[in-house]
Amino acid sequence: MFNPFRRQPLDPTLQARIPPGQVLTEKWPVLHYGPVPKVDLARWTFRVWGLVEQPLEWTWEQFLSLPSVESVSDIHCVTRWSRLDNRWRGVPVREVLARARPLPQARFVLAHAEYGYTANLPLEALLDDDVLLAYEHDGKPLTPEHGFPLRLVVPKRYFWKSAKWVRGLELLAEDRLGFWEQLGYHNDADPWQEQRYWGD
Ligand SMILES: Nc1nc2c(c(=O)[nH]1)N[C@H]1C(S)=C(S)[C@@H](COP(=O)(O)O)O[C@H]1N2
Ligand SMILES: [Mo]
């Protein structure tokens, strides 16, 4: 049977990068709830709204003109696989938020994706350099099943926070639970603290 996981002992420097309870994989599993959306780039938009001075909406072409960076980071899925050294290209969330200018009351963000998928994070967590609205992975455009055309990437949290097919960010004063968080997954989702389920 196909087994994506390595069984050999890892060299210690690699092992040190794998959080507790995780197993290294070199494949890239596909994981999501529901179907893969068919996206028409001519009609696609990305929005920032809620507690911002300037609500904004970009077309795909406009979004591509925002400053992009490359960032290499690790993926840790709560289903226990980790994939190291993913090379992402995209727009730092910081850049997008700087244009919309969050109001002082804004402390949380709900990411909205196709079909109503949501993921919630503290605003502060989205300001890190490694947090991107990514459109390329390892030098190629995202494939449909990995989030084409755009996904959120938040390397310091379990990967369910990294919404595929993301369409906007809503700025909030109070935290609002996302899709998996409502189903009992941990709100903070730090893989190094093994925050898998609420109560862990
Ligand atoms: N829109 C959307 N994004 C999503 C999900 C989903 O169900 N819908 N699942 C999350 C989960 S649980 C994981 S582990 C990662 C998987 O990303 P991948 O399929 O690119 O590995 O996507 C996350 N983003
Ligand atoms: Mo996941």
Side-chain angles (χ1 to χ4, degrees), residues 31 77-79 159-160:
L31 239 118
C77 172
V78 74
T79 63
F159 209 38
W160 83 74

Side-chain angles (χ1 to χ4, degrees), residues 112-157:
H112 292 260
E114 302 282 353
Y115 299 136
Y117 184 86
T118 51
N120 61 307
L121 286 152
L123 172 57
E124 205 181 79
L126 292 178
L127 303 178
D128 282 357
D129 288 344
D130 59 1
V131 176
L132 301 185
L133 290 157
Y135 41 74
E136 277 180 24
H137 176 272
D138 288 350
K140 290 183 225 118
L142 289 178
T143 57
E145 61 274 17
H146 286 300
F148 174 87
L150 191 72
R151 77 177 300 159
L152 186 60
V153 176
V154 188
K156 293 186 183 75
R157 310 291 173 123

